[in-house]
Amino acid sequence: MAEFTDRYDAGRQLAALLASRGGSPDASAGGARAPEVTAGVGPLSGTTVVLGLPRGGVPVAEVVARELGTPLDVIMVRKLGVPAHPELAMGAIGEGGLRVLDEAIRRHFAVTEAELAEVQEREEQTLARRAELFRAGRPPLDLRGATAVLVDDGMATGATARVACLAARKLGADRVVLAVPVAARDTVARFRAEGEADEVAVVATPRHFRSVGEHYADFAAVEDEGVVTILQRS
C-alpha cells in the first residue's frame, strides 16, 4: 500500500512531522503512524525559508510552507541521469556551478567523460531556463543567517539533495534541514553520517525501496506551469 495519496498528502504528513519536533508519535502524519526517521529535528527558530526542489518537490513544499507559516521559494538543482537509465542519478548540479557525482554509479555504468559532459551541458541549459521561468525576474529569497528547509517528494540516491544542501550553504543559510516524505534507508544513513544536512526529517523509510514513485498512489508528473502557479500564489 502506498504511504501517500499524492504530493499534497505527503506535504501534510511532512509538515506534521516538522511541526511536532519531538512531540508524541501520533502528532506525525495526522495520527496515521509515527515518523520512521527524525534525525535531531529541533525547533525552527529565527528566519525559516522552505525551498522546494523542482519540480516534484514544489507541491510538497507548498503545503509545508503554508502549514509552518514560512516563505516559499525554489532551490534550483538538476539530476545528472545515467545515459542508459535517465531516471537513475549519477550526480546533480545546482546554481552557482555546483556539482556532485556518485562515482560508484558512474563506474558501474561505465559513463565516459564525454557522456558526462553531454548530460551536464544539457541539464545546465534546462536549469538556467527553468530558473528564469520559475522566478519570473524575482531574485531568490535571501538565505543569509536563515534556516533553510529543503523539501523534495522523496530521496533515492540523494544526489540532488546533496547539491541542494551545498547550494543552500553557499547562499548563506545558517542551518540546513533536509525534509522528505520517503527515502531509501541507506541514503538517509549516509546523510546522517556525513553531516550533509544539519538535520534530516523523513516520514517513511520503507524496508523495500526501489523508487520514490511507488510510494505514492498518484505520482503524476509536475509540469513547469504547475511550479509557476504554485510560486505565484505563494
Side-chain angles (χ1 to χ4, degrees), residues 199-214:
E199 303 172 13
V200 179
V202 185
V203 177
T205 54
R207 185 175 301 277
H208 302 291
F209 182 99
R210 291 179 297 182
S211 69
V212 171
E214 68 182 3

Side-chain angles (χ1 to χ4, degrees), residues 215-232:
H215 300 284
Y216 286 79
D218 178 0
F219 199 63
V222 178
E223 303 297 338
D224 289 349
E225 294 76 10
V227 174
V228 171
T229 298
I230 289 171
L231 294 175
Q232 286 178 340

Side-chain angles (χ1 to χ4, degrees), residues 21 42-50 68-71 142-149 174-175:
R21 299 191 300 281
L44 302 177
S45 58
T47 300
T48 299
V49 177
V50 171
L68 298 182
T70 71
D142 187 357
L143 300 186
R144 288 173 296 179
T147 293
V149 181
D174 183 60
R175 180 174 166 217

Side-chain angles (χ1 to χ4, degrees), residues 80-107:
L80 300 176
V82 174
H85 304 278
E87 291 305 310
L88 177 62
M90 61 179 171
I93 58 172
E95 292 178 283
L98 293 172
R99 185 182 79 170
V100 296
L101 291 177
D102 189 321
E103 291 293 352
I105 290 179
R106 185 184 167 197
R107 287 194 301 269

